[in-house]
Amino acid sequence: MLPLLLLAQAAQPVVEAERAFAATAQTKGQWTAFREFVAPDGLMMLDGPQPAAPFLKDKKDPPVAVMWWPAHVVTSCDGSLAFSTGPWRRKGGTAVGRYFTIWRHDAQGWRWIYDGGRQDETGMPAGDVPVQPRHGACHRPPPLPEEPPPAAGGRSHDGSLVWRIDKSANGYRLRVLFSTGGAWTTESDVEVG
């Protein structure tokens, strides 16, 4: 019971960080928020995964920031890495889509190390409480299948949460996998650019 409780507690700060990131975009400006919450090695999906800092450096905030909120959050067993996804809206709701953010926890707190998204005509329903999968006690995850090196990616310190961006026929594909020691579950497998 204690490992499950610790996992639930670890996930909450990620939700709070994502909400603070989104709120900062509304109060201080969209690109200002991105600069405040990015890790020094953060990546964005530009023409493939690229360093975020040069793109964000002199970017002026638009008059109306994009709005987003977390709908699904997964945190590694050790609390060092997290994945957050949910809907975004801009242009008065005429443009909608889904965002995908990978967060890393360190001495500075939660900072995003990957942020991207895609337009999706159907959007997602809004909700106050993001879905957080409930997992039992965590154990060493099984080996991952052998694959070529990704264009970008990483894993939590304990290896329970893995993300990778690979070149695909249509651009790039983001996959996020999670394991508490049993089989890997796919938390995301989506074209992102």
Side-chain angles (χ1 to χ4, degrees):
M1 180 67 171
L2 185 59
L4 182 60
L5 180 60
L6 291 175
L7 183 60
Q9 289 174 339
Q12 190 58 36
V14 177
V15 171
E16 291 171 9
E18 187 71 66
R19 288 180 176 155
F21 180 24
T24 301
Q26 298 305 307
T27 58
K28 293 184 177 179
Q30 179 175 313
W31 300 120
T32 299
F34 274 75
R35 286 187 291 271
E36 281 188 25
F37 285 83
V38 67
D41 57 344
L43 301 172
M44 293 180 80
M45 186 57 66
L46 301 168
D47 183 21
Q50 300 292 323
F55 174 79
L56 295 171
K57 184 180 177 196
D58 296 318
K59 197 83 168 151
K60 301 282 186 228
D61 292 319
V64 178
V66 65
M67 295 176 60
W68 72 91
W69 54 94
H72 181 79
V73 176
V74 179
T75 303
S76 64
C77 291
D78 67 358
S80 67
L81 198 70
F83 167 66
S84 175
T85 185
W88 60 259
R89 284 186 167 60
R90 64 183 170 152
K91 298 181 182 177
T94 60
V96 296
R98 187 176 182 109
Y99 77 86
F100 308 94
T101 305
I102 304 293
W103 293 87
R104 182 177 60 216
H105 192 267
D106 59 23
Q108 307 328 111
W110 288 103
R111 296 283 178 239
W112 62 264
I113 56 172
Y114 170 76
D115 191 83
R118 68 179 196 176
Q119 194 155 342
D120 177 356
E121 298 306 321
T122 60
M124 287 180 69
D128 292 333
V129 181
V131 174
Q132 297 179 43
R134 297 290 180 217
H135 301 286
C138 293
H139 304 284
R140 180 180 294 270
L144 286 164
E146 288 292 322
E147 294 186 79
R155 62 180 57 227
S156 59
H157 296 304
D158 67 356
S160 65
L161 187 65
V162 176
W163 69 284
R164 61 181 292 137
I165 297 174
D166 295 291
K167 190 83 172 112
S168 70
N170 298 322
Y172 289 89
R173 176 177 159 214
L174 169 68
R175 287 186 294 152
V176 179
L177 304 171
F178 180 72
S179 175
T180 58
W184 289 96
T185 59
T186 301
E187 300 295 335
S188 182
D189 188 351
V190 65
E191 294 289 329
V192 291

